């Protein structure tokens, strides 16, 4: 088997994790995921200010700490920290190795940038347009002897699939093995979310303050174990792995450029303390299209929060809104969002194309209310200028029109096709026999007393994965939590298209809410623009639970 460790789940994750993973025990590969849809927009703005920017600068600092150790131990590093400028990051890494007196082969990958090819989307200028590349360029880079592979916008799972495929010598049509590695990559791509971070059952996690980062041990047949280094905090359990598996997915067919992984085939068993074995993953050929994450200029946005305390909260909120827009023409803006947030106050956000209206006009009207509105008036933050925001869109391109390019330290370029000809087929899965839902008396209690949930964003959509601990809990969940009951528990989803997917082997349901997040995290004016809290709001909803389930919770 091959040990692949993750040291980053996002740009800004725990800086010392790379050193911790190298010091904590044996590993073969160190991976880091630094990119998200929002991150691409942030890097795009940085690159506009400075053409030499566009990559995750923290990765350089981490490599200064650990590159010598990694080389001494024979640990090879694969990360997507290259972002929009993998060539620039590779050059900085070569300068770093020279300054440290080290010898390392740095290889980077290109081919994801389709900005010039798309031009405009929805009539707006494209800030970034990056197709999700796969794992086979990573395999080629490792074949060329890379000690560090600097990736651009590859799929998150490719950071794991590439090393596993290279190590085991898999071919491009080893669908089940590749699918297993995709599932492994999805489990560890978000760092500590697989080891007890953000886990809903708080009492289960020992040392939740400093959880260890995850490791997968992948066998030649694609089966793997999720674990972490001994002595580190957190927890690796069937529950923590399930919670990450249902995070930010759509249907049970998980599409990548390398393989379609069937998440409804995944089987989990506890294999000892902090060890979860994953078996049975089936794979199908990838789709003929590739996904492109596009960020376009959206306009300008501004938010002011009016804290409301004491009595008559709703009347005070009404005074603010009427007073504000008595001084300010709503037609100045493309959108106005007024939200009364419990425990905070009235949050007013405006969006538009005119920075003066969104900035100076809006803030001036708010300030004018200072001595002419509700008792206890003050502003939570000082008025600020308008800020530009981006809108995230996803488009599809033919996979056979995309080429991945591996660029060696001497500038030599090797082209690796993204698409691979394959006859399509579908895996037929027999679902496990359903259990009978528990009968007997019921108790009115929060759904989260028994069931876990985790939620996240995919562009303008949100997902909520909900799971139980065993077949009895799942039998009740599958029978009770319909789309109608889901939307009743989450009123903000009413009127939107909601898809429900069943994952019986994981004892889980996945709900996908189309359009909940509008133009994506950067454009969404909500207090929680990435729907991270949606699962916890669902768990807080009160339902009639079988008393038999509560006894085991």
């Amino acid at each position: 088997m091959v040990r692949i460790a993750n040291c980053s789940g996002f740009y800004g994750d725990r800086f010392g994790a790379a050193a911790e993973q190298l010091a904590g025990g044996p590993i073969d590969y160190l991976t880091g995921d630094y990119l998200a849809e929002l991150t691409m927009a942030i890097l795009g703005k940085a690159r506009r200010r400075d053409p030499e920017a566009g990559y995750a600068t923290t990765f350089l600092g981490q490599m200064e700490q650990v590159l010598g150790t990694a080389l001494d131990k024979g640990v090879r590093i694969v990360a997507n920290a290259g972002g929009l400028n993998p060539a620039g990051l590779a050059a900085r890494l070569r300068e770093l190795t020279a300054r440290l007196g080290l010898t390392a082969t740095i290889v980077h990958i290109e081919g994801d940038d389709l900005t010039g090819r798309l031009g405009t989307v929805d009539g707006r200028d494209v800030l970034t347009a990056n197709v999700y590349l796969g794992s086979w360029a990573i395999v080629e880079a490792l074949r060329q002897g890379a000690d560090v592979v600097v990736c651009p916008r590859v799929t998150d799972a490719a950071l794991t699939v590439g090393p596993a495929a290279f190590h085991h010598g898999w071919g491009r049509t080893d669908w089940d093995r590749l699918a297993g590695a995709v599932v492994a990559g999805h489990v560890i791509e978000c760092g500590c979310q697989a080891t007890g971070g953000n886990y809903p059952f708080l009492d289960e996690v020992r040392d939740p303050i400093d959880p260890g980062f995850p490791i997968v041990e992948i066998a030649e047949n694609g089966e793997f174990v999720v674990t972490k280094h001994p002595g580190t905090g957190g927890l690796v359990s069937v529950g923590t792995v399930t919670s990450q598996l249902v995070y930010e997915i759509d249907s049970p067919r998980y599409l990548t450029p390398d393989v379609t992984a069937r998440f409804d085939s995944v089987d989990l068993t506890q294999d000892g303390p902090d060890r979860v074995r994953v078996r049975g993953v089936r794979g199908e050929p990838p789709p003929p299209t590739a996904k492109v994450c596009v960020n376009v200029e959206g306009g300008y946005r501004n938010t002011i929060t009016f804290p409301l305390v004491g009595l008559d909260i709703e009347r005070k909120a009404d005074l603010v809104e009427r007073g504000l827009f008595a001084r300010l023409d709503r037609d100045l803006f493309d959108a106005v969002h007024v939200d009364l947030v419990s425990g905070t106050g009235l949050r007013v956000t405006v969006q538009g194309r005119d920075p003066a209206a969104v900035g100076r006009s809006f803030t001036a009207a708010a300030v004018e209310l200072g001595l002419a509105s509700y008792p206890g008036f003050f502003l939570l933050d000082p008025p600020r200028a308008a800020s530009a925001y981006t809108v995230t869109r996803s488009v599809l391109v033919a996979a056979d029109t995309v080429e991945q390019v591996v660029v060696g330290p001497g500038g030599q370029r090797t082209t690796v096709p993204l698409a691979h000809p394959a006859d399509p087929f579908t895996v037929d899965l027999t679902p496990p026999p359903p259990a009978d839902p528990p009968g007997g008396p019921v108790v009115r209690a929060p759904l989260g007393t028994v069931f876990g949930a985790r939620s996240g964003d995919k562009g303008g959509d949100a997902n909520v994965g909900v799971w139980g601990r065993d077949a009895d809990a799942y039998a009740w969940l599958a029978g009770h939590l319909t789309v109608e009951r889901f939307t009743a528990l989450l009123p903000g989803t009413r009127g939107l298209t909601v898809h429900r997917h069943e994952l019986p082997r994981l004892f889980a349901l996945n709900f996908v809410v189309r359009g909940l997040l509008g133009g994506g995290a950067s454009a969404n004016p909500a207090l929680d623009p990435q729907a991270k809290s949606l699962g916890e709001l669902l768990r807080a909803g009160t339902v009639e639970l079988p008393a038999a389930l509560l006894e085991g919770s």
Side-chain angles (χ1 to χ4, degrees):
M1 58 86 178
V2 59
R3 298 180 184 90
I4 303 173
N6 168 279
C7 71
S8 176
F10 67 99
Y11 190 8
D13 208 347
R14 195 157 85 215
F15 185 82
E20 294 167 17
Q21 290 287 56
L22 282 163
I27 60 173
D28 301 302
Y29 291 87
L30 181 67
T31 68
D33 181 13
Y34 295 81
L35 302 182
E37 292 164 339
L38 178 60
T39 313
M40 300 301 283
I42 293 170
L43 294 177
K45 292 178 180 179
R47 189 177 60 173
R48 281 196 171 182
R49 293 190 298 267
D50 177 6
E52 299 299 316
Y55 54 80
T57 56
T58 53
F59 180 73
L60 274 175
Q62 289 175 304
M63 290 303 99
E64 186 167 11
Q65 281 189 345
V66 306
L67 185 55
T69 302
L71 293 170
D72 289 342
K73 293 186 173 185
V75 175
R76 303 168 83 172
I77 298 167
V78 182
N80 61 12
L84 302 178
N85 188 7
L89 178 56
R92 301 291 84 74
L93 283 170
R94 293 187 187 104
E95 293 171 1
L96 174 66
T97 57
R99 178 164 56 83
L100 296 177
L102 303 173
T103 301
T105 300
I106 313 294
V107 177
H108 77 272
I109 295 170
E110 299 176 353
D112 65 310
D113 190 353
L114 302 187
T115 306
R117 176 170 160 182
L118 295 183
T120 61
V121 172
D122 296 338
R124 303 185 188 211
D125 291 336
V126 171
L127 174 64
T128 66
N130 299 83
V131 62
Y132 287 79
L133 302 180
S135 65
W136 293 102
I138 297 172
V139 173
E140 174 60 23
L142 294 170
R143 189 191 66 78
Q144 293 183 12
D147 296 303
V148 181
V149 183
V150 178
C151 301
R153 177 69 280 187
V154 297
T155 66
D156 299 342
L159 301 172
T160 298
V161 179
F166 170 75
H167 178 86
H168 290 303
W170 294 339
R172 294 190 67 151
T173 59
D174 285 331
W175 305 122
D176 291 347
R177 293 175 173 86
L178 294 169
V182 164
V183 173
H186 182 72
V187 169
I188 68 171
E189 71 188 39
C190 291
C192 295
Q193 279 199 163
T195 57
N198 299 351
Y199 187 59
F201 299 112
L202 299 177
D203 291 340
E204 293 182 13
V205 183
R206 61 187 180 279
D207 187 10
I209 305 304
D210 198 21
F213 273 67
I215 301 167
V216 284
E217 301 171 352
I218 305 179
E220 192 280 333
N221 64 359
E223 294 183 2
F224 63 94
V225 169
V226 186
T227 186
K228 61 186 184 67
H229 283 315
T232 56
L235 172 71
V236 179
S237 69
V238 168
T240 68
V241 173
T242 298
S243 66
Q244 176 56 28
L245 282 172
V246 299
Y247 176 66
E248 292 187 344
I249 62 171
D250 199 308
S251 82
R253 282 186 164 87
Y254 190 88
L255 306 178
T256 80
D258 301 315
V259 64
T260 298
R262 291 290 299 268
F263 273 45
D264 49 355
S265 66
V266 178
D267 181 71
L268 307 179
T269 54
Q270 197 73 39
D271 197 43
D274 292 320
R275 292 180 66 83
V276 171
R277 186 169 296 278
V278 184
R279 296 186 177 95
V281 184
R282 301 298 307 277
E284 299 167 348
T289 54
K291 178 182 173 182
V292 185
C293 174
V294 181
N295 285 294
V296 299
E297 300 288 0
Y300 297 89
R301 181 172 67 191
N302 209 343
T303 298
I304 295 177
T305 300
F306 301 83
L308 303 175
V309 300
L311 305 175
D312 303 318
I313 297 298
E314 291 185 359
R315 291 183 63 185
K316 291 173 180 177
D318 178 65
L319 275 175
V320 172
E321 184 174 0
R322 289 194 293 122
L324 186 63
F325 291 105
R327 294 162 171 79
L328 194 64
D329 186 354
R330 284 181 183 258
D331 292 338
L332 289 171
F333 312 108
D334 296 334
V336 175
H337 307 269
V338 180
D339 300 301
L340 182 56
V341 182
S342 176
T344 300
L346 196 69
R347 191 171 183 268
V348 182
T349 301
V350 296
Q351 293 173 290
R353 300 295 183 94
D354 182 355
V358 175
R360 184 172 59 252
S361 299
F362 174 55
T363 56
V367 170
E368 287 180 6
L369 294 177
L371 303 178
S373 189
Y374 63 88
F377 181 100
F378 69 100
L379 298 179
L380 191 61
D381 298 303
R384 59 175 65 90
S387 59
Y389 69 90
T390 58
V391 175
T392 300
R393 295 281 184 262
S394 293
V395 301
L396 299 176
V397 298
D400 59 9
T401 66
V402 178
E403 290 186 337
Q404 308 168 111
V405 180
V406 180
V407 185
Q412 66 274 24
R413 302 173 69 84
T414 305
T415 299
V416 179
L418 182 66
H420 182 78
D423 294 329
F425 66 85
T426 298
V427 172
D428 291 326
L429 295 175
T430 301
D436 293 326
V442 297
V443 177
R444 193 153 183 82
L447 181 72
T449 308
V450 174
F451 296 96
R454 179 168 284 174
S455 56
D457 65 311
K458 280 293 184 185
D461 301 333
N463 96 294
V464 184
V466 192
W467 73 93
R469 290 185 171 94
D470 54 32
D472 288 344
Y474 176 72
W476 181 89
L477 183 70
H480 178 85
L481 195 57
T482 62
V483 168
E484 291 72 23
R485 288 186 172 123
F486 175 87
T487 56
L489 291 169
L490 294 174
T493 67
R494 291 174 183 168
L496 298 173
T497 299
V498 179
H499 299 292
R500 190 185 98 145
H501 302 288
E502 297 184 0
L503 298 162
R505 287 180 172 81
L506 297 176
F507 306 137
L509 300 176
N510 183 44
F511 293 88
V512 181
V513 187
R514 303 294 183 197
L516 179 69
L517 305 179
S522 179
N524 187 0
L527 196 61
D528 176 16
Q530 293 179 285
K532 302 292 188 181
S533 64
L534 199 60
E536 285 301 289
L537 291 173
L538 179 71
R539 294 181 71 236
T542 303
V543 297
E544 292 189 343
L545 290 168
L549 293 181
L550 289 168
E551 292 170 3
S553 63

